[in-house]
Amino acid sequence: MTNPLIIYIEFAVALSLLNTIILMRVQPKSVNSFYPSTFYAIMITNFGFLFQALSTNLHEALLANKIVFVGGAYLPIFLFMALVNLCHLKISNALRMLLFSISGIIYLLAITSGYSNIFYSNAELVTVNGISKIQAEFGPGYILFCLQLIGYGATYLCIILFSLFHKKNVSFHSLCSLAVIGAITLASFAISKKMGVENIVMPGVFLVDEYILLILVHRMGKYDIETTILNSLVQTNTSAYVTFTKSKRYIGCNDIALNYFPQMKDFQVDHPLDNKSETEKTFSKLIDQFHPSDMSKITYFQLGNNHYKCLIKHLFHGNSDCGYMMRIEDDTKMQRYIKFLDKYNSELVNDVQDKDSHIHAMQEQMIVGMANMVENRDSNTGGHIKRTSQVIRILISEMRKDKSLGLSNKFCRAVVKAAPMHDLGKIAVDDMILRKPGKFTSEEYSIMKTHAEKGAAIVENLLQGIEDPELVTIAKNIANYHHELWNGDGYPKHLKGTEIPLEARIMAIADVYDALVSQRCYKEKISCEDAYEIIINSMGTHFDPGLKPYFISCREELEAYYSTALAS
């Protein structure tokens, strides 16, 4: 009849193997390797206990015991390193190598059993409860093994206590799980060893350890934010990833890359790009465009009928820069959408510009029409609007040649456009005054002077909300201040010098020059030469002396214009 204890140990071995398979299935990808190593060590140790239980002589038992110590010598350090990693503690590589070396020495001492007295000074095969086991006197090698267990146990306890009180980023439940494993394993080993039944007790204890570790590893998946994020990204990823070495040798890609670029199915790992296909030429060009000093670079390329967006970065293995990683997204829809928007925007801009031009043309015709209507009411100023507008154009054109003035194109265009509006305020002046054939009385002149401020108000009402604010300001200033004098004797505000806006100072010259060379009902016209002299002599009193050089420069052009304009 089969011994139930043998069946129990066989069952423990089978469950250890099953637990190891389960761990491979449930463990997070980023879990440290000491958990799987612990399971391997337990499975090997249980196999050793089974073989020892089935031994028929001392030689077989000693061989089985050596299998037990394949796992037993390293199991303590695997559990210790699992705890260190869980608590986010760092130990030096030198200490790590020392600890593994001690485990290795213990295992080497264990395999001398049967050949020397270092591990067991005396050993014999005995049968307890129907199963075989070694009864031995311990040598210095076994004592070193026990001291190792005591050392790990004490250090294990210290790390758990330290982490419970000082490590807020370590799971309390995980610490407790490892504490239970350590306590159960050491206590069970010590007690069962003293009772001589360790080969019966420890397989069951190890199974308990495995189940606690399985629960712990499963819980760790919840706290492993990096793996959680990575899994989420993988599930929702729509990007192709392609990697190359620094020498342009192909390393690998994901499935999405194969869907994007079917030619990559012919790429062979470790082979360099030979530029035989368009895909290879494209990747080679992308790598050539990436400067080694760049951390990353975004570029766009087209392959066939599709457009792609590519982020190329350095590929690291540990701390070593070993190549390039490309993250490629299909940008075809976006590029087509952008082209559609560009086309639509261009058409819209052209349409708006056409409509704006039409609106501005209508507006200018309306303003000039209003100005002409005012002029037609004023029997003294026939053609004045047209002629002063041309004088403004000539003066502004001359001033634009002087870059030191810093006149913008926008300002110059606005002054020319606003010139016809300078006398719009006369529309609010009574006909009896406006059409009076002779000179005004002082009272009439006072009423006439109100046309400046009224003109500014009319201009603002006409243009506000339709034209550019700068044009509105310039047009108001021209209407309001073109009768101000440099010396402060003008109207309506008695502004002086540069207090008068530049556009109004320019308009003042054009307004007076045309008045001088034109015939009015109350005066005869004078020659352009005399008008020129009057204005030159008035520079610094009536007019801005800073405009003198520009007026002088355009004298011939002005006289040529008036020789034609007044003759028609």
Side-chain angles (χ1 to χ4, degrees):
M1 181 177 179
T2 305
N3 191 327
L5 292 177
I6 296 295
I7 296 175
Y8 150 73
I9 298 175
E10 290 175 339
F11 192 63
V13 170
L15 287 179
S16 293
L17 177 60
L18 179 61
N19 290 340
T20 304
I21 295 172
I22 294 173
L23 176 71
M24 297 299 101
R25 176 67 179 173
V26 301
Q27 69 171 343
K29 291 183 179 180
S30 63
V31 71
N32 68 72
S33 60
F34 297 110
Y35 292 100
S37 299
T38 299
F39 275 65
Y40 297 146
I42 289 175
M43 184 173 62
I44 293 172
T45 302
N46 282 346
F47 267 113
F49 282 136
L50 176 62
F51 294 153
Q52 190 177 101
L54 297 174
S55 299
T56 58
N57 57 60
L58 181 61
H59 177 72
E60 290 177 356
L62 288 173
L63 181 60
N65 192 64
K66 294 172 186 179
I67 296 175
V68 169
F69 273 91
V70 171
Y74 289 96
L75 183 58
I77 191 172
F78 290 154
L79 285 172
F80 173 75
M81 293 304 299
L83 177 65
V84 167
N85 281 315
L86 176 68
C87 297
H88 308 296
L89 300 175
K90 292 184 178 181
I91 62 174
S92 66
N93 288 332
L95 178 58
R96 190 192 302 259
M97 291 300 297
L98 176 62
L99 295 177
F100 274 97
S101 297
I102 292 173
S103 295
I105 290 170
I106 289 173
Y107 177 68
L108 290 175
L109 294 176
I111 64 176
T112 65
S113 55
Y115 304 102
S116 72
N117 297 327
I118 296 177
F119 203 76
Y120 294 137
S121 59
N122 185 31
E124 61 178 331
L125 183 67
V126 297
T127 300
V128 179
N129 298 320
I131 63 173
S132 300
K133 64 163 289 186
I134 296 174
Q135 184 172 311
E137 296 178 5
F138 304 139
Y142 197 89
I143 294 173
L144 178 61
F145 170 66
C146 293
L147 290 175
Q148 179 202 38
L149 294 181
I150 295 171
Y152 276 123
T155 308
Y156 204 88
L157 177 63
C158 291
I159 290 175
I160 288 176
L161 291 176
F162 173 79
S163 299
L164 283 173
F165 293 103
H166 298 284
K167 287 283 188 177
K168 302 298 183 184
N169 60 338
V170 179
S171 167
F172 174 78
H173 296 290
S174 298
L175 279 176
C176 290
S177 298
L178 286 179
V180 169
I181 290 174
I184 289 177
T185 305
L186 286 176
S188 299
F189 178 75
I191 295 171
S192 63
K193 190 69 178 176
K194 188 173 182 62
M195 297 176 62
V197 291
E198 71 274 13
N199 59 337
I200 298 174
V201 172
M202 293 313 295
V205 171
F206 286 148
L207 283 179
V208 173
D209 291 346
E210 285 185 332
Y211 289 125
I212 296 175
L213 282 174
L214 283 174
I215 295 171
L216 173 61
V217 169
H218 178 68
R219 287 180 55 83
M220 286 176 62
K222 299 178 182 179
Y223 299 104
D224 185 7
I225 187 66
E226 291 183 3
T227 300
T228 301
I229 293 173
L230 181 61
N231 289 336
S232 298
L233 290 175
V234 169
Q235 293 295 326
T236 59
N237 178 50
T238 58
S239 299
Y241 287 88
V242 187
T243 55
F244 297 94
T245 67
K246 285 191 170 183
S247 58
K248 296 186 182 180
R249 291 181 179 272
Y250 174 61
I251 298 176
C253 69
N254 64 350
D255 291 339
I256 296 175
L258 296 177
N259 291 331
Y260 283 178
F261 314 108
Q263 289 179 330
M264 289 191 64
K265 294 177 181 178
D266 297 327
F267 283 20
Q268 189 168 348
V269 174
D270 289 335
H271 278 234
L273 295 171
D274 54 16
N275 296 333
K276 289 182 179 179
S277 66
E278 288 300 318
T279 304
E280 289 181 281
K281 291 178 182 177
T282 299
F283 288 147
S284 180
K285 185 178 179 181
L286 291 174
I287 293 173
D288 291 338
Q289 292 174 348
F290 184 70
H291 195 274
S293 62
D294 292 335
M295 293 300 296
S296 62
K297 182 178 181 180
I298 294 178
T299 186
Y300 296 85
F301 66 92
Q302 182 176 357
L303 198 59
N305 295 323
N306 294 330
H307 296 265
Y308 300 96
K309 176 183 177 181
C310 176
L311 171 66
I312 182 170
K313 301 173 65 175
H314 293 281
L315 180 66
F316 289 93
H317 181 69
N319 294 324
S320 176
D321 182 3
C322 61
Y324 309 96
M325 181 183 72
M326 299 178 186
R327 188 185 72 192
I328 304 171
E329 300 173 359
D330 190 339
D331 202 43
T332 305
K333 290 184 179 179
M334 180 60 70
Q335 291 300 321
R336 289 174 181 171
Y337 182 64
I338 290 173
K339 287 182 179 179
F340 171 77
L341 283 182
D342 287 343
K343 181 181 179 182
Y344 177 77
N345 286 337
S346 297
E347 292 175 352
L348 185 61
V349 167
N350 292 335
D351 190 36
V352 170
Q353 287 176 344
D354 289 343
K355 290 181 178 179
D356 281 349
S357 298
H358 182 64
I359 290 171
H360 285 302
M362 291 177 61
Q363 187 181 15
E364 288 181 14
Q365 288 179 7
M366 180 186 70
I367 292 170
V368 172
M370 289 182 66
N372 286 329
M373 182 176 68
V374 172
E375 191 172 77
N376 290 334
R377 292 179 61 224
D378 184 354
S379 59
N380 297 317
T381 57
H384 177 69
I385 291 173
K386 181 179 179 181
R387 293 193 300 272
T388 52
S389 296
Q390 186 60 30
V391 173
I392 289 292
R393 284 191 178 89
I394 294 171
L395 277 171
I396 284 291
S397 178
E398 193 64 35
M399 292 174 68
R400 290 178 71 175
K401 296 176 183 177
D402 187 352
K403 302 301 181 183
S404 66
L405 291 177
L407 300 181
S408 67
N409 292 334
K410 188 176 181 181
F411 172 82
C412 295
R413 287 194 297 267
V415 173
V416 172
K417 188 173 183 178
M421 306 180 221
H422 72 280
D423 274 341
L424 276 182
K426 289 182 179 180
I427 198 171
V429 177
D430 190 270
D431 275 353
M432 291 182 64
I433 297 173
L434 193 63
R435 300 178 67 84
K436 184 177 180 179
K439 289 188 175 182
F440 298 131
T441 65
S442 59
E443 183 180 353
E444 290 170 340
Y445 185 53
S446 295
I447 295 173
M448 174 59 75
K449 287 193 294 184
T450 63
H451 83 275
E453 290 183 296
K454 291 177 179 178
I458 291 171
V459 165
E460 184 173 23
N461 288 333
L462 279 174
L463 303 183
Q464 194 72 41
I466 299 175
E467 287 288 358
D468 181 79
E470 184 177 354
L471 172 60
V472 176
T473 300
I474 289 172
K476 283 172 57 182
N477 289 340
I478 285 177
N480 207 11
Y481 305 122
H482 69 282
H483 285 296
E484 298 285 2
L485 304 182
W486 184 260
N487 59 11
D489 291 338
Y491 65 87
K493 299 294 185 182
H494 303 291
L495 300 181
K496 184 178 182 179
T498 55
E499 293 176 352
I500 308 169
L502 176 59
E503 53 267 28
R505 285 178 260 154
I506 298 170
M507 189 70 228
I509 293 177
D511 191 42
V512 173
Y513 185 85
D514 184 73
L516 290 173
V517 298
S518 304
Q519 185 175 348
R520 302 286 171 88
C521 63
Y522 54 85
K523 64 171 272 301
E524 292 294 329
K525 67 179 180 179
I526 64 175
S527 67
C528 290
E529 292 81 0
D530 292 339
Y532 173 81
E533 293 298 329
I534 290 172
I535 290 180
I536 289 296
N537 293 332
S538 299
M539 291 291 181
T541 55
H542 193 130
F543 306 110
D544 178 2
L547 299 177
K548 182 177 179 178
Y550 311 111
F551 181 71
I552 293 173
S553 297
C554 64
R555 176 182 179 180
E556 292 183 3
E557 189 174 355
L558 287 173
E559 291 179 357
Y561 168 69
Y562 271 93
S563 65
T564 303
L566 294 177
S568 59

